[in-house]
Amino acid sequence: MGGSKASAPIPVNGDKPSTPQGEGICLTRADRQLLERKLALHEDGKVVPVWMSDEVDGVDGDICLKDQGRWRRYAEHELYTLFHYKQHEPTDGRAERKWWADYYRLNQKFAEKILEIYKPGDVVWIHDYHLLLLPNLLRQRVPHIYIGFFLHIPFPSSEFMRCLSRRKEILVGVLGANMVGFQSYSYSRHFSSCCTRILGFESSSAGVDAYGAHVAVDVFPIGIDAAATEKTAFGDEVIRQKMTGIRELYAGKKIIVGRDRLDSVRGVAQKLMAFEMFLERYPEWRDKVVLIQVTSPTSIEEEKEDGENKMASKVSELVSRINGLYGSLSFWPVQHYPQYLSQDEYFALLRVADVGLITSVRDGMNTTSLEYVICQRDHHGPLILSEFSGTAGSLGHAIHINPWDLGGVADAIKEALTMSSDMRGLQHASLYEHVTKHTVQAWSAKYLHRLLTNLSSFDQSIATPALDKTALLAQYRKAKQRLFMFDYDGTLTPIVKDPSAAIPTDRVIRTLKTLASDPKNNVWIISGRDQNFLNQWMGDISELGLSAEHGSFIREPRSEEWENLTEKFDMSWQKDVMEIFQHYTERTQGSFIERKRIALTWHYRRADPEYGSFQARECQKHLENSVAKKWDIEVMTGKANLEVRPTFVNKGEIAKRLVEQYGREAGQPPEFVLCLGDDATDEDMFRSLGASNLPSNQVFPVTVGASSKMTLARWHLLEPRDVISTVGLLNGFADAGDLGAVAAVATAGEEAKL
């Protein structure tokens, strides 16, 4: 190893921070209350501790804090490693299940403590990978809480995220926030992509649409407290004395400085190998340059538990090899200090350096690079920065390197050492301006401003309100003739990758059968599905009316005969459309064609979401510029599908026909209409109802999905299970969440009798 503690160029404190050992620390209730009072008066603001213990011991409320590392184990063993693109060998999963239980409990404890002190209107800002479940835990308890989340480490691509067994729980946890922030654009893009590929949510560069809400996703490169750093680094005489000592020790030599934790992702080994290659390629620099590398022990649980300490051994071997090849009795080109540095020592090193060298192989944020820029205020030493560092995108005037390209790093070291004074000054001026302008204060202010802007800019005037179940139930009970029109996919059943797998549950069948058995009710399923599917799954409910292929075929209640409403239409267009669909099917893995009697549908639910959407747009343009100009047809976009059908075939025509068909007397409209659908084809029904002369208090057009989506419906429900719960309410089987509507209608009924 290059040097000992005694030979260090500056005094080094090698003591590690102490941690509770053995049985842990036991605290009485009085101890905790005393500490809580002191923390409440902290100079930086009120601090509220979260006591992580399994249970309260004794009647007096004593607790024992044992093995506090266990609460971080899942985060640091599973999440940290995978988020930095590392994978473990497969195990039986027993340890992981225990770690997961502790991780969930950690997040739960934080949620409980936050809700103890939370007041309506408060903003909760959650940080980093130890608390990924917390946003959703809070959202479940307080639906309208304002939550921001910021991840300080990288976020992996979907290919890596899919390897995590708890991937869905992690993503759903984060999506409880109103806004999610990342250090760089690539991390935000990976997060949005994971939400689409793993959870199936629609996403864009602006955010993710999940569970009826839009979760904003944005980029906020973090900064440091530049003014405080500069004041500390340049305002202490002790630092100047230490700088003088270092310069005297390495007089006539250029000093390259590296300071990293001894994690495998920090790239210390790559740095040493690149420095070795530099000395090999450029022999004229031997004995003229020294690399001072300081490595503090890792803070990651997994790497602490590595009994062989492989990383430390590898670094030690590299240092010994380089010093053996290029050193002498009087000088070692690598001075390695695996120690903690005091603040004075740290800033002295950064100020005296001629070159700063950071070679992290995966890094969310790197404050050393920012502090180096501040410390080089007068000296203007170049900064060599890994392109995999989270700060690389912000520090555009640093010398960017790929740490895996050892030759490239060696050349970058040569470039930095030989850079002209004018060029060093220009580069540093740009870096210094950025670091002093984009401080941690500016970062936090920008984040909170963006969060509040997103919250306030959500225009409630264009949001579709949740269905008023009180008004719905009241009108339902008053009406003598009622009409129900239900879409199928995405309304009665969730959207699935394989359309043939979207079969109705027993609860759906029972609910529809009960609804249709009331002689006042006229219940229709108006679907894009073909006759065979509807016959197979809904045909046994004789009281149901069925409409297949968006209104091309209808089957009246208590009938087994289907009526073809399009039999006189020329269907020759299907041949041309089939050729185009086949063209895109061959080029889009996972896509397939569904041939109905009237319509043709191209599905890409099983395809890659992004590529499938791209191909669908191309296919739509192809159809509209060719077949649609020759035939009276339209191209409809659905959920992960394109459908081509005659223009006169749509659900709106069926809705118009049914409104005219049902009433207390011939020619009279029904007194209650509930129409539910989830996609663009259902907008035809909403449009038709809007154009009718039905009293608005008797008509309930309801879209299924987010309140923020553009729709002609006047109300919304979030998902299919909410649809079934609402119908159950009308049937007289109210869920716990609907008891308020029942009580309100009952109270109104009693008052009407008085």
Side-chain angles (χ1 to χ4, degrees):
M1 184 173 291
S4 64
K5 182 175 178 179
S7 66
I10 48 180
V12 176
N13 175 13
D15 297 332
K16 294 185 180 181
S18 61
T19 55
Q21 301 293 327
E23 293 300 314
I25 300 174
C26 290
L27 298 172
T28 65
R29 186 190 299 274
D31 292 334
R32 300 200 309 276
Q33 289 174 344
L34 176 61
L35 182 57
E36 287 170 0
R37 285 195 297 270
K38 289 186 175 181
L39 288 172
L41 301 174
H42 195 274
E43 61 181 6
D44 293 326
K46 182 178 179 181
V47 177
V48 179
V50 179
W51 302 104
M52 294 306 303
S53 63
D54 283 324
E55 57 188 19
V56 176
D57 300 325
V59 294
D60 296 327
D62 297 350
I63 63 171
C64 281
L65 305 179
K66 304 174 184 176
D67 186 17
Q68 291 295 285
R70 60 180 281 201
W71 307 107
R72 306 192 308 275
R73 206 151 285 145
Y74 183 83
E76 297 182 355
H77 188 278
E78 297 293 311
L79 298 178
Y80 184 90
T81 51
L82 187 130
F83 280 29
H84 286 83
Y85 290 80
K86 293 172 60 185
Q87 286 183 276
H88 300 295
E89 293 295 322
T91 67
D92 61 9
R94 293 179 187 176
E96 286 82 353
R97 285 193 291 273
K98 184 178 183 301
W99 298 340
W100 172 257
D102 289 337
Y103 183 74
Y104 187 89
R105 183 68 179 135
L106 168 73
N107 282 258
Q108 204 170 39
K109 282 267 194 181
F110 268 82
E112 291 166 359
K113 179 58 69 173
I114 289 169
L115 293 176
E116 284 179 16
I117 59 177
Y118 168 79
K119 296 176 183 176
D122 288 349
V123 174
V124 182
W125 191 3
I126 301 167
H127 291 262
D128 228 6
Y129 61 102
H130 294 90
L131 298 173
L132 292 171
L133 303 181
L134 183 55
N136 193 49
L137 290 175
L138 291 172
R139 180 74 59 200
Q140 289 174 353
R141 299 277 293 276
V142 186
H144 300 295
I145 191 171
Y146 302 147
I147 302 174
F149 181 86
F150 186 83
L151 186 68
H152 292 259
I153 64 172
F155 196 91
S157 70
S158 60
E159 294 304 310
F160 264 81
M161 191 66 185
R162 284 157 61 181
C163 299
L164 187 68
S165 61
R166 299 285 182 174
R167 59 197 184 179
K168 290 187 177 180
E169 291 93 329
I170 294 296
L171 291 172
V172 168
V174 178
L175 289 173
N178 297 99
M179 185 172 78
V180 183
F182 295 93
Q183 175 74 14
S184 75
Y185 174 71
S186 63
Y187 305 156
S188 70
R189 179 168 52 84
H190 289 162
F191 175 76
S192 297
S193 176
C194 285
C195 291
T196 297
R197 295 171 185 274
I198 295 172
L199 298 179
F201 293 137
E202 293 185 7
S203 67
S204 66
S205 58
V208 181
D209 294 319
Y211 304 114
H214 178 76
V215 180
V217 177
D218 217 328
V219 180
F220 303 91
I222 201 168
I224 59 173
D225 188 342
T229 300
E230 190 163 0
K231 181 179 178 181
T232 303
F234 289 89
D236 194 335
E237 181 61 33
V238 174
I239 294 177
R240 281 190 284 272
Q241 291 173 4
K242 292 182 185 298
M243 291 172 60
T244 301
I246 298 171
R247 288 197 182 105
E248 289 175 355
L249 190 60
Y250 300 109
K253 293 179 172 58
K254 294 287 188 179
I255 299 173
I256 302 174
V257 167
R259 184 261 194 176
D260 308 271
R261 285 206 306 266
L262 200 58
D263 301 341
S264 55
V265 299
R266 302 297 172 180
V268 178
Q270 284 85 346
K271 182 186 303 185
L272 292 170
M273 288 189 284
F275 185 66
E276 180 181 20
M277 184 171 288
F278 165 75
L279 295 176
E280 179 186 343
R281 282 189 177 183
Y282 304 103
E284 68 273 17
W285 279 99
R286 298 171 190 174
D287 298 326
K288 295 181 181 178
V289 64
V290 60
L291 170 62
I292 301 177
Q293 176 63 46
V294 180
T295 53
S296 55
T298 179
S299 63
I300 303 304
E301 284 287 313
E302 179 202 13
E303 300 195 12
K304 284 182 185 176
E305 295 166 3
D306 181 3
E308 298 178 7
N309 207 351
K310 296 177 183 175
M311 180 54 61
S313 298
K314 184 173 184 179
V315 169
S316 178
E317 289 172 7
L318 285 168
V319 171
S320 298
R321 188 174 78 198
I322 296 169
N323 288 335
L325 285 171
Y326 302 107
S328 63
L329 290 175
S330 60
F331 171 68
W332 287 345
V334 178
Q335 299 291 325
H336 177 221
Y337 304 103
Q339 313 281 357
Y340 286 100
L341 291 184
S342 69
Q343 183 173 264
D344 294 342
E345 296 159 349
Y346 173 58
F347 284 131
L349 262 184
L350 294 188
R351 284 188 61 184
V352 80
D354 294 295
V355 176
L357 182 55
I358 296 171
T359 55
S360 48
V361 296
R362 187 64 57 178
D363 201 354
M365 51 177 283
N366 190 300
T367 56
T368 301
S369 59
L370 307 177
E371 290 159 345
Y372 176 79
V373 170
I374 294 294
C375 290
Q376 289 292 314
R377 183 189 69 183
D378 302 327
H379 190 45
H380 303 165
L383 171 64
I384 301 174
L385 182 61
S386 167
E387 65 188 48
F388 297 112
S389 168
T391 51
S394 304
L395 303 180
H397 287 83
I399 301 173
H400 289 186
I401 50 94
N402 175 0
W404 299 101
D405 177 11
L406 302 182
V409 179
D411 293 340
I413 294 173
K414 169 74 161 37
E415 178 188 349
L417 291 172
T418 57
M419 187 178 293
S420 68
S421 176
D422 290 344
M423 181 58 70
R424 293 204 330 261
L426 286 173
Q427 286 194 0
H428 183 267
S430 299
L431 293 172
Y432 185 80
E433 180 184 9
H434 176 87
V435 174
T436 53
K437 182 178 179 181
H438 298 88
T439 63
V440 68
Q441 293 88 347
W443 167 77
S444 57
K446 180 181 178 182
Y447 184 97
L448 293 173
H449 176 73
R450 191 79 56 85
L451 174 61
L452 295 174
T453 300
N454 283 333
L455 292 169
S456 62
S457 66
F458 182 68
D459 189 351
Q460 297 293 336
S461 65
I462 63 168
T464 308
L467 177 60
D468 185 343
K469 295 182 181 180
T470 302
L472 179 79
L473 183 58
Q475 184 60 32
Y476 176 83
R477 291 183 174 178
K478 284 192 286 185
K480 303 299 182 185
Q481 280 291 328
R482 312 169 185 128
L483 173 60
F484 294 83
M485 294 178 282
F486 297 100
D487 171 46
Y488 183 77
D489 289 286
T491 301
L492 294 176
T493 62
I495 296 291
V496 294
K497 287 187 178 294
D498 184 356
S500 63
I503 59 177
T505 63
D506 289 341
R507 186 188 180 199
V508 171
I509 296 295
R510 288 196 309 270
T511 302
L512 290 176
K513 197 164 190 174
T514 303
L515 186 70
S517 64
D518 188 328
K520 295 179 182 179
N521 295 343
N522 304 281
V523 185
W524 281 75
I525 307 296
I526 305 175
S527 173
R529 294 286 186 159
D530 61 23
Q531 299 154 268
N532 292 335
F533 184 92
L534 294 181
N535 266 335
Q536 180 180 1
W537 297 108
M538 298 289 183
D540 291 339
I541 308 176
S542 60
E543 299 88 351
L544 275 184
L546 302 175
S547 172
E549 298 195 31
H550 301 297
S552 301
F553 301 89
I554 61 171
R555 195 197 79 173
E556 294 284 346
R558 299 176 181 83
S559 170
E560 295 185 357
E561 300 297 323
W562 286 88
E563 179 184 354
N564 184 353
L565 303 181
T566 62
E567 58 186 351
K568 295 182 180 179
F569 187 73
D570 185 355
M571 304 301 290
S572 302
W573 57 271
Q574 286 191 339
K575 180 177 179 294
D576 295 342
V577 172
M578 182 60 79
E579 290 177 357
I580 294 174
F581 276 173
Q582 193 64 45
H583 173 84
Y584 285 92
T585 301
E586 292 171 357
R587 288 158 177 76
T588 311
Q589 186 177 7
S591 65
F592 61 95
I593 302 168
E594 181 185 5
R595 183 162 197 163
K596 305 172 184 177
R597 289 186 60 183
I598 298 300
L600 291 174
T601 307
W602 184 67
H603 295 276
Y604 56 93
R605 293 179 192 175
R606 301 175 188 165
D608 178 274
E610 294 179 11
Y611 186 63
S613 297
F614 169 76
Q615 288 290 75
R617 291 191 296 270
E618 294 297 306
C619 182
Q620 183 179 1
K621 285 190 285 187
H622 193 165
L623 290 165
E624 289 173 346
N625 291 328
S626 56
V627 186
K629 292 184 176 181
K630 293 166 51 181
W631 300 91
D632 190 15
I633 60 171
E634 61 180 338
V635 183
M636 297 294 297
T637 57
K639 290 190 174 178
N641 68 64
L642 280 180
E643 182 161 291
V644 181
R645 66 189 188 193
T647 52
F648 67 87
V649 174
N650 65 70
K651 293 182 178 182
E653 291 298 317
I654 295 298
K656 180 180 178 182
R657 172 174 173 157
L658 295 178
V659 167
E660 293 172 353
Q661 182 176 338
Y662 293 104
R664 294 183 64 183
E665 296 178 10
Q668 288 189 353
E671 298 165 296
F672 174 93
V673 179
L674 177 60
C675 178
L676 293 112
D678 72 304
D679 66 15
T681 63
D682 301 309
E683 295 296 317
D684 292 329
M685 291 195 291
F686 303 148
R687 186 179 293 106
S688 176
L689 291 174
S692 69
N693 294 321
L694 296 171
S696 60
N697 65 323
Q698 297 179 11
V699 182
F700 296 86
V702 183
T703 188
V704 180
S707 62
S708 56
K709 75 175 181 180
M710 298 299 294
T711 179
L712 296 172
R714 297 205 337 261
W715 311 96
H716 92 281
L717 291 170
L718 276 181
E719 50 191 346
R721 66 179 177 182
D722 296 324
V723 173
I724 302 307
S725 295
T726 301
V727 177
L729 169 67
L730 303 181
N731 286 338
F733 304 105
D735 289 347
D738 295 331
L739 293 177
V742 175
V745 173
T747 302
E750 291 298 322
E751 292 175 351
K753 294 176 182 178
L754 297 175

